[in-house]
Amino acid sequence: MNYEAIAKLAQNCIQHHPAIVLGSGSSAPHGIRGMAALACVLQQNVVPDGGAEERSWRQIQEALTNGDGLEVALQRHTAPASLVQKIVAQTWLTIAEDDLKLLESAAAAEEHLPLADLIRGLFRSANRTISVVTTNYDRVAEIAADASGHIHANGFSPGLIRRREGADPIRIHRGNFVARTVRIWKVHGSLDWFEDKQGQPVSLPLRDRLLDGFSPLIVTPGVSKYERTYDEPFRTAIQGADVCLSVGSRMNISFILAVHC
């Protein structure tokens, strides 16, 4: 394919509201630890109680020692709910530490985010909304949207104590026009998302520690992740991701896979 054909294909994609799909490759260059590093942290910091927790954690550790990846090890051995909670909490603490470092670097203009460049480029069009689908818990997409000079939405209302957006999307206007918005579909949850004491989803942004009585709403590797995706807000995020991806599929549009090397 020659340069002219590639340029025409790219132009066609941009004109038809492409979706950006993010995986771990979009986070790793910014210091967000991946599965291998996370496995080491979990082995060092998860302390199971006796009985079923101890037996299950020993099996998972043996699988990791024998060369299984973290996701495979957790899928092969069904952990008790109490042990899953400990794994989730330590995962949250680990990723949140890296994520807040990235925020500080980005705010100080010490970190370049290629995703922000991509967002700016896609908005050099008639598009008012860009969809981002990601399996990552971190806020690379949110930070990149802010760095690009645009607002973002991820299923919760604006504010410090954020409740679910609901069926009617919240739209912010600049003057007489709807502001250009990066709509982020986080199908495995977010560092901002928690289940409160009443069992309701709430978003509490930019915390460096877990609040008593609030459980992180992130789907960690393992059998339990298939159970959590039937609950809110995961179900809505997955449905939203399906819609924005299926629209492009029906129109035979190529999607942009944002992987930063």
Side-chain angles (χ1 to χ4, degrees):
M1 185 179 292
N2 59 35
Y3 178 81
E4 184 178 354
I6 293 172
K8 287 183 178 179
L9 176 60
Q11 185 179 32
N12 187 42
C13 288
I14 292 172
Q15 289 174 344
H16 289 89
H17 307 279
I20 301 172
V21 181
L22 301 180
S24 59
S26 65
S27 300
H30 300 298
I32 309 295
R33 277 170 280 191
M35 287 293 183
L38 180 59
C40 294
V41 172
L42 291 175
Q43 290 190 83
Q44 294 168 1
N45 293 280
V46 171
V47 180
D49 291 332
E53 277 194 25
E54 183 72 39
R55 290 190 297 272
S56 179
W57 188 237
R58 191 181 306 117
Q59 290 175 331
I60 293 169
Q61 287 183 308
E62 289 175 356
L64 292 171
T65 301
N66 292 333
D68 284 346
L70 179 59
E71 184 159 13
V72 172
L74 293 174
Q75 285 179 339
R76 283 185 176 177
H77 306 286
T78 303
S82 55
L83 180 58
V84 171
Q85 290 176 353
K86 293 177 181 178
I87 293 171
V88 168
Q90 187 58 56
T91 298
W92 186 94
L93 289 168
T94 302
I95 305 303
E97 179 183 356
D98 299 340
D99 185 86
L100 289 173
K101 288 179 181 177
L102 171 60
L103 175 64
E104 293 173 0
S105 299
E110 297 170 350
E111 184 90 12
H112 176 239
L113 287 92
L115 180 57
D117 298 336
L118 177 59
I119 291 170
R120 289 191 198 97
L122 291 177
F123 273 136
R124 294 192 189 103
S125 66
N127 293 345
R128 307 305 301 180
T129 302
I130 292 173
S131 294
V132 175
V133 178
T134 178
T135 56
N136 302 338
Y137 320 131
D138 59 60
R139 288 165 291 223
V140 170
E142 289 92 325
I143 295 170
D146 291 352
S148 75
H150 299 94
I151 65 172
H152 67 265
N154 68 356
F156 285 78
S157 62
L160 296 178
I161 302 176
R162 305 175 179 178
R163 299 296 174 181
R164 287 189 58 222
E165 190 176 35
D168 296 321
I170 295 172
R171 292 181 173 85
I172 297 175
H173 284 70
R174 277 187 171 169
N176 296 325
F177 300 97
V178 176
R180 294 182 187 271
T181 302
V182 180
R183 183 158 287 277
I184 306 168
W185 303 103
K186 307 190 81 168
V187 297
H188 284 175
S190 176
L191 295 174
D192 289 343
W193 297 0
F194 301 91
E195 185 176 80
D196 67 15
K197 297 176 183 179
Q198 287 73 45
Q200 297 301 310
V202 61
S203 177
L204 303 173
L206 304 177
R207 297 195 58 80
D208 62 355
R209 64 180 181 85
L210 292 171
L211 189 64
D212 290 343
F214 287 75
S215 303
L217 284 176
I218 58 175
V219 178
T220 53
V223 175
S224 62
K225 80 176 185 180
Y226 301 108
E227 301 170 358
R228 293 307 305 267
T229 53
Y230 289 100
D231 301 329
E232 292 294 352
F234 305 107
R235 183 171 57 190
T236 295
I238 292 171
Q239 289 172 346
D242 285 344
V243 169
C244 73
L245 293 176
S246 64
V247 167
S249 178
R250 289 196 302 270
M251 298 176 66
N252 196 27
I253 299 300
S254 298
F255 293 100
I256 295 175
L257 176 62
V259 178
H260 306 154
C261 300

